[in-house]
Amino acid sequence: MHSAANPLMPIAGHFDPVPVPRAVTPREDGRTDLMGLSRLQIKDVLDEAGLDSKAAKLRSKQLFHWLYHRGETQFDAMTDLAKPMRLWMAERFVVGRPQVVEAQLSSDGTRKWLLRSDDGQDYEMVFIPDAGRGTLCVSSQVGCTLNCRFCHTGTMRLVRNLTPGEIVGQVMLARDALGEWPKGNMAANDIESDEDDDSPHYSPDGRMLTNIVMMGMGEPLYNFEHVRDALKVVMDGEGLALSRRRITLSTSGVIPMMARASAEIGVNLAVSLHAVTKEVRDELVPLNKKYGIEELLQACADYPKASNARRITFEYVMIRDKNDSDDDARELVRLIRKYKLPAKVNLIPFNPWPGTDYECSTPERIRAFSSIVFEGGISAPVRTPRGRDIMAACGQLKSASEKKSRAELDRLAAEKQAALG
């Protein structure tokens, strides 16, 4: 077992098992991509490029505002910078976005984007509109470290971690697509000093993108540093200004990193539980062989940010004749009560994908399961499947939809499990 103090968690990977790849992907043209960088990091790259410290501090504040508050990608449009400075920056830097390979729109309004990185790796993000809110499902890895057997993404090999810029870039691209940047030119006095100020943070009314869930491709806590740094940029009040209460990080139970996630990110926690017995969870979420249910629930009980106001969400995919019995529901209630967890349970009808052996529980079985949990005093809403017609629903994300044989899936699962230890 690895110490929670160890900042580098080893990850399973076939092509690139490096724990923490470079935060900035090198570009062929030699310019530095500013996307995903914090104000301090922007100041550092300006220092390295030759600006004196005072100028770098002022310009970093201006650039941060343009990048994340206004969504600007062209230096020419940054009107509070002198023209020579704009030209100087354009020669050395770029404000990137992920390349969109394909954009799909579901009949229910869900949108899915297949994205491609500068090094030719594909990953996906999904936007789910609802009444009064809009949730962006963000990926943290190309492929996935884990091998959860009900999850399409889990059948992929891990290629590499996404960088902070690639994670933040998903949020930026969604706001581009939704047309959610402020309109018009920035007033001349928007930023006129390099001193910190207490001015009100921008928070537009009627914003469509209101929530972020780190539930896309990958296990976020096996890419902890990059996820942390990306979410800090997203939460910065001078830029995107998304409240930590509107961000949820989902984990399959990487226990050594859970306390750090609370201390260093502080967003809401969701746990992919999916079973209440060792035998079934070992099958569905093989990470359970390393970090068991009881150990996981104790880590949830110790999660400092958990409270009645900020309940831990347990995700529970409903699979026919596997984890959906009345006894399973009663055991779920018992476990949550045993650890005195402020919790709710999201019941997720299993979303089919090519090659799976599982079937979704019947609507009647799901309702019966939900009723037992509700009667136990725990909220257990049934999540309405979204984006199934474009393979955008929970557990369906996968950048290539080739069908693997069961033998191939078993072999890949064994490789991943061996790497996880």
Side-chain angles (χ1 to χ4, degrees):
M1 185 179 297
H2 299 275
S3 167
N6 183 357
L8 302 184
M9 289 293 294
I11 57 176
H14 181 66
F15 302 110
D16 181 11
V18 178
V20 182
R22 291 184 60 179
V24 180
T25 304
R27 291 174 52 90
E28 290 184 4
D29 63 8
R31 293 187 293 173
T32 298
D33 191 346
L34 299 179
M35 181 48 51
L37 299 187
S38 66
R39 270 173 294 186
L40 180 59
Q41 289 171 321
I42 293 173
K43 177 184 180 299
D44 288 344
V45 298
L46 293 176
D47 277 334
E48 293 170 8
L51 285 187
D52 67 70
S53 181
K54 185 175 181 180
K57 185 176 182 180
L58 172 61
R59 301 308 176 201
S60 66
K61 187 171 184 179
Q62 291 171 310
L63 283 173
F64 191 90
H65 181 91
W66 280 108
L67 265 62
Y68 302 119
H69 178 87
R70 305 189 66 85
E72 186 54 64
T73 61
Q74 301 300 317
F75 294 103
D76 278 349
M78 300 180 185
T79 51
D80 61 338
L81 298 176
K83 190 170 184 179
M85 177 58 67
R86 292 181 235 167
L87 293 172
W88 182 86
M89 288 186 175
E91 290 173 356
R92 293 161 176 80
F93 307 110
V94 65
V95 181
R97 290 287 194 272
Q99 176 190 345
V100 178
V101 179
E102 185 178 18
Q104 294 176 275
L105 178 64
S106 168
S107 58
D108 64 20
T110 298
R111 305 173 71 164
K112 182 173 81 167
W113 290 266
L114 173 61
L115 308 175
R116 184 163 293 159
S117 64
D118 287 342
D119 61 347
Q121 303 299 338
D122 291 352
Y123 52 103
E124 293 179 340
M125 71 175 190
V126 174
F127 178 71
I128 306 164
D130 273 311
R133 65 188 284 165
T135 302
L136 186 68
C137 183
V138 175
S139 291
S140 58
Q141 295 180 314
V142 179
C144 188
T145 312
L146 305 178
N147 55 327
C148 301
R149 295 302 290 269
F150 62 88
C151 180
H152 200 203
T153 316
T155 67
M156 301 176 67
R157 293 187 185 278
L158 175 71
V159 180
R160 66 169 174 83
N161 286 337
L162 291 177
T163 66
E166 290 164 339
I167 296 170
V168 176
Q170 295 173 66
V171 183
M172 305 297 284
L173 185 64
R175 291 203 67 186
D176 290 348
L178 296 169
E180 294 202 317
W181 298 112
K183 302 295 191 293
N185 292 326
M186 183 176 69
N189 63 354
D190 268 7
I191 298 179
E192 58 184 17
S193 169
D194 62 345
E195 298 300 322
D196 292 331
D197 62 60
D198 295 317
S199 58
H201 297 155
Y202 176 73
S203 181
D205 293 332
R207 180 185 290 181
M208 290 176 67
L209 199 171
T210 61
N211 293 69
I212 288 174
V213 292
M214 295 300 304
M215 296 181 186
M217 296 167 62
E219 163 55 66
L221 294 189
Y222 275 118
N223 186 16
F224 176 79
E225 284 81 9
H226 288 176
V227 168
R228 175 199 61 201
D229 294 349
L231 290 181
K232 283 186 175 181
V233 169
V234 169
M235 293 185 292
D236 192 301
E238 298 297 328
L240 286 160
L242 200 67
S243 165
R244 69 183 68 247
R245 292 178 177 270
R246 290 187 173 270
I247 300 173
T248 300
L249 184 150
S250 177
T251 179
S252 291
V254 185
I255 290 172
M257 304 306 289
M258 287 171 62
R260 286 191 65 193
S262 174
E264 299 178 36
I265 309 175
V267 297
N268 300 318
L269 180 69
V271 174
S272 295
L273 190 62
H274 307 307
V276 293
T277 67
K278 173 175 171 51
E279 178 185 15
V280 177
R281 195 166 192 265
D282 279 356
E283 174 187 339
L284 297 179
V285 188
L287 186 65
N288 195 68
K289 298 172 185 176
K290 187 177 182 72
Y291 306 118
I293 293 176
E294 302 270 352
E295 189 180 359
L296 173 58
L297 294 178
Q298 184 59 55
C300 291
D302 295 339
Y303 192 72
K305 293 293 187 292
S307 66
N308 286 327
R310 299 183 67 184
R311 294 174 293 175
I312 292 174
T313 299
F314 288 105
E315 295 158 335
Y316 197 99
V317 65
M318 299 296 294
I319 301 175
R320 186 173 184 174
D321 299 330
K322 180 61 66 175
N323 64 352
D324 62 351
S325 71
D326 287 355
D327 285 344
D328 289 322
R330 285 189 281 267
E331 177 64 5
L332 178 58
V333 171
R334 188 192 71 81
L335 286 170
I336 291 174
R337 283 179 166 178
K338 175 183 176 181
Y339 287 93
K340 300 181 174 63
L341 295 172
K344 70 173 181 178
V345 180
N346 270 348
L347 300 180
I348 306 167
F350 173 68
N351 295 302
W353 43 268
T356 183
D357 289 338
Y358 298 124
E359 296 179 19
C360 184
S361 304
T362 65
E364 295 77 18
R365 182 91 295 274
I366 295 174
R367 282 196 296 270
F369 192 103
S370 176
S371 294
I372 291 171
V373 180
F374 267 116
E375 288 166 8
I378 299 161
S379 177
V382 179
R383 184 185 295 173
T384 303
R386 300 292 299 273
R388 276 182 168 177
D389 56 330
I390 57 171
M391 291 290 287
C394 181
Q396 288 186 324
L397 294 193
K398 190 171 187 291
S399 58
S401 59
E402 78 280 0
K403 184 174 180 178
K404 285 186 171 73
S405 71
R406 177 50 55 189
E408 288 175 304
L409 293 174
D410 288 343
R411 184 166 56 250
L412 177 59
E415 288 178 5
K416 288 187 175 185
Q417 192 61 39
L420 286 168

